[in-house]
Amino acid sequence: MTRRTLITRVAAVPGSAAFPVAVALPAGAMAQSRSSRAKVTTRVRRLELKHTWTTVMSSSTHRDTFFVEFQKDGITGVGEGAPIVRYNESAASAKAAIDAIAPYLESCDPGQFAKVKREVFTRVPGEWAAKAAVDIAILDWAAQKLGTPLHRLFGLDAEDAPVTTFSIGIDKPEVVRRKVAEAKDYPLLKVKVGLDNDQEILAAVRAETNKPLICDANEGFRSKEQAVEKIQWLAGLGVTLIEQPLPASNLADMNWIRERVSIPVIADEACLRPEDVPRLAPYFDGVNVKVDKCGGLQEALRMIHMARALGLKVMIGCMVSSSVAITAAAQLSPLVDYADLDGNLLIANDPYTGVVVRAGKLLLPLRPGLGLSPALSA
Ligand code: MG
């Protein structure tokens, strides 16, 4: 059996521990975890966008995301997931799903977070954003209980966190120019393409800056021929990476495209969960891992390790969400090539502060857990 076949087979086992979180808890550190019942609080928050956000798929002025608080032994773990309509998720359905398993969560041992994740995955069909919120809250709690930043629980060094891209949504050229000007502190911009006005958008971006760009087509190119034409045109404009040129289900044309373009092509909409990574490996140069889509940080970590084993580039991405989900994803960013963690920067009423960006680089909080603080203005 080849390595790739082995990984494919292992990945196909639901909840498999092929790449378990390598964490050794000190003896007794979690001994009290079973002592008291936890309290689980769920809520939906409306996040207001600074700019109307447009991609190939949708346009909106706000997003509703789902929050979980896990309180036990005087410690509160916080988690967030951004439900995705395409997968029949809503903030309300996320809340209902987790409210239904609250009795289990309130009696679980959060020190056994891998076991808790497996149990939650067994009890909750679908609702990946809801499961992500729970996983983040439990890990935030566990790391706080141990008095360590979450990235250290994963064995990672905050110094290794990369720069994050800043995304420029599809808009009128004058608005695009303003957004690019506002993003002057970010050394790498991500530009949404895939509509008929790509030339206008890129001209507006290039009128403001010569920075390297990555582009995300969000499945928007209409044929393999158009994809090649557009990608080569973009490469000539200093674009260094393209995300998801064709619909997620179209793998057949991907290698035809890759043979004809000069920049890496990575999967986003095609890549949801660990089992997708080995399936996509023959067709893409890399994958975009999103915590909200795979069901949490533990699953995202498995995806990253799997992608690495298969020789793929890794991006960690996000949905529009608050600093809770973004700071959570940032905990894994020391492992990736590209971070696209700007979802909190797009909203006007972030209820927390956590990871911050300085000259584009992600600065992870060094406080225990996620290291969040309530935002004074929220
Ligand atoms: Mg994308």
PDB file of all heavy atoms in Angstrom, residues 190 192 216 218 243 268-269 288 290, ligand 1:
ATOM      1  N   LYS A 190      -5.747  39.998  -1.152  1.00  0.00           N
ATOM      2  CA  LYS A 190      -6.483  38.951  -1.863  1.00  0.00           C
ATOM      3  C   LYS A 190      -7.652  39.622  -2.576  1.00  0.00           C
ATOM      4  O   LYS A 190      -8.442  40.333  -1.948  1.00  0.00           O
ATOM      5  CB  LYS A 190      -6.990  37.914  -0.860  1.00  0.00           C
ATOM      6  CG  LYS A 190      -7.908  36.856  -1.468  1.00  0.00           C
ATOM      7  CD  LYS A 190      -8.011  35.681  -0.519  1.00  0.00           C
ATOM      8  CE  LYS A 190      -9.268  34.883  -0.727  1.00  0.00           C
ATOM      9  NZ  LYS A 190      -9.294  33.699   0.142  1.00  0.00           N
ATOM     10  N   LYS A 192     -10.979  39.341  -5.033  1.00  0.00           N
ATOM     11  CA  LYS A 192     -12.013  38.451  -5.560  1.00  0.00           C
ATOM     12  C   LYS A 192     -12.197  38.715  -7.049  1.00  0.00           C
ATOM     13  O   LYS A 192     -12.366  39.869  -7.462  1.00  0.00           O
ATOM     14  CB  LYS A 192     -13.336  38.707  -4.822  1.00  0.00           C
ATOM     15  CG  LYS A 192     -13.280  38.397  -3.325  1.00  0.00           C
ATOM     16  CD  LYS A 192     -13.323  36.913  -3.069  1.00  0.00           C
ATOM     17  CE  LYS A 192     -13.465  36.617  -1.568  1.00  0.00           C
ATOM     18  NZ  LYS A 192     -13.548  35.168  -1.304  1.00  0.00           N
ATOM     19  N   ASP A 216      -8.989  35.050  -5.805  1.00  0.00           N
ATOM     20  CA  ASP A 216      -9.949  33.987  -5.500  1.00  0.00           C
ATOM     21  C   ASP A 216     -11.102  34.099  -6.492  1.00  0.00           C
ATOM     22  O   ASP A 216     -11.811  35.107  -6.508  1.00  0.00           O
ATOM     23  CB  ASP A 216     -10.459  34.162  -4.063  1.00  0.00           C
ATOM     24  CG  ASP A 216     -11.328  33.003  -3.616  1.00  0.00           C
ATOM     25  OD1 ASP A 216     -11.644  32.124  -4.451  1.00  0.00           O
ATOM     26  OD2 ASP A 216     -11.685  32.972  -2.420  1.00  0.00           O
ATOM     27  N   ASN A 218     -13.624  31.941  -6.584  1.00  0.00           N
ATOM     28  CA  ASN A 218     -14.867  31.411  -5.985  1.00  0.00           C
ATOM     29  C   ASN A 218     -15.701  30.631  -7.014  1.00  0.00           C
ATOM     30  O   ASN A 218     -16.905  30.824  -7.113  1.00  0.00           O
ATOM     31  CB  ASN A 218     -15.714  32.527  -5.362  1.00  0.00           C
ATOM     32  CG  ASN A 218     -15.118  33.075  -4.082  1.00  0.00           C
ATOM     33  OD1 ASN A 218     -14.771  34.254  -4.003  1.00  0.00           O
ATOM     34  ND2 ASN A 218     -14.974  32.246  -3.085  1.00  0.00           N
ATOM     35  N   GLU A 243      -7.262  30.814  -6.272  1.00  0.00           N
ATOM     36  CA  GLU A 243      -8.124  29.895  -5.539  1.00  0.00           C
ATOM     37  C   GLU A 243      -9.335  29.510  -6.368  1.00  0.00           C
ATOM     38  O   GLU A 243      -9.980  30.380  -6.968  1.00  0.00           O
ATOM     39  CB  GLU A 243      -8.674  30.628  -4.297  1.00  0.00           C
ATOM     40  CG  GLU A 243      -8.112  30.193  -2.984  1.00  0.00           C
ATOM     41  CD  GLU A 243      -8.776  30.963  -1.856  1.00  0.00           C
ATOM     42  OE1 GLU A 243      -9.872  30.581  -1.425  1.00  0.00           O
ATOM     43  OE2 GLU A 243      -8.194  31.969  -1.409  1.00  0.00           O
ATOM     44  N   ASP A 268     -10.645  25.559  -2.594  1.00  0.00           N
ATOM     45  CA  ASP A 268     -11.333  26.093  -1.414  1.00  0.00           C
ATOM     46  C   ASP A 268     -12.725  25.472  -1.312  1.00  0.00           C
ATOM     47  O   ASP A 268     -12.953  24.591  -0.484  1.00  0.00           O
ATOM     48  CB  ASP A 268     -11.404  27.621  -1.462  1.00  0.00           C
ATOM     49  CG  ASP A 268     -12.075  28.198  -0.221  1.00  0.00           C
ATOM     50  OD1 ASP A 268     -12.416  27.418   0.688  1.00  0.00           O
ATOM     51  OD2 ASP A 268     -12.282  29.430  -0.147  1.00  0.00           O
ATOM     52  N   GLU A 269     -13.628  25.883  -2.195  1.00  0.00           N
ATOM     53  CA  GLU A 269     -14.980  25.331  -2.107  1.00  0.00           C
ATOM     54  C   GLU A 269     -14.989  23.803  -2.258  1.00  0.00           C
ATOM     55  O   GLU A 269     -15.889  23.128  -1.748  1.00  0.00           O
ATOM     56  CB  GLU A 269     -15.885  25.963  -3.168  1.00  0.00           C
ATOM     57  CG  GLU A 269     -16.369  27.374  -2.810  1.00  0.00           C
ATOM     58  CD  GLU A 269     -15.340  28.467  -3.087  1.00  0.00           C
ATOM     59  OE1 GLU A 269     -14.216  28.152  -3.529  1.00  0.00           O
ATOM     60  OE2 GLU A 269     -15.652  29.658  -2.845  1.00  0.00           O
ATOM     61  N   ASN A 288      -7.251  25.149   0.873  1.00  0.00           N
ATOM     62  CA  ASN A 288      -7.610  26.167   1.850  1.00  0.00           C
ATOM     63  C   ASN A 288      -8.412  25.471   2.947  1.00  0.00           C
ATOM     64  O   ASN A 288      -9.465  24.890   2.674  1.00  0.00           O
ATOM     65  CB  ASN A 288      -8.449  27.265   1.170  1.00  0.00           C
ATOM     66  CG  ASN A 288      -8.710  28.461   2.080  1.00  0.00           C
ATOM     67  OD1 ASN A 288      -8.569  28.361   3.302  1.00  0.00           O
ATOM     68  ND2 ASN A 288      -9.114  29.565   1.490  1.00  0.00           N
ATOM     69  N   LYS A 290     -10.615  25.589   6.283  1.00  0.00           N
ATOM     70  CA  LYS A 290     -11.454  26.520   7.043  1.00  0.00           C
ATOM     71  C   LYS A 290     -12.090  25.802   8.234  1.00  0.00           C
ATOM     72  O   LYS A 290     -12.768  24.786   8.069  1.00  0.00           O
ATOM     73  CB  LYS A 290     -12.534  27.126   6.154  1.00  0.00           C
ATOM     74  CG  LYS A 290     -11.938  28.111   5.149  1.00  0.00           C
ATOM     75  CD  LYS A 290     -12.987  28.810   4.337  1.00  0.00           C
ATOM     76  CE  LYS A 290     -12.331  29.848   3.427  1.00  0.00           C
ATOM     77  NZ  LYS A 290     -13.208  30.266   2.334  1.00  0.00           N
TER      78      LYS A 290
HETATM   79 MG    MG B   1     -11.890  31.175  -1.301  1.00  0.00          MG
END
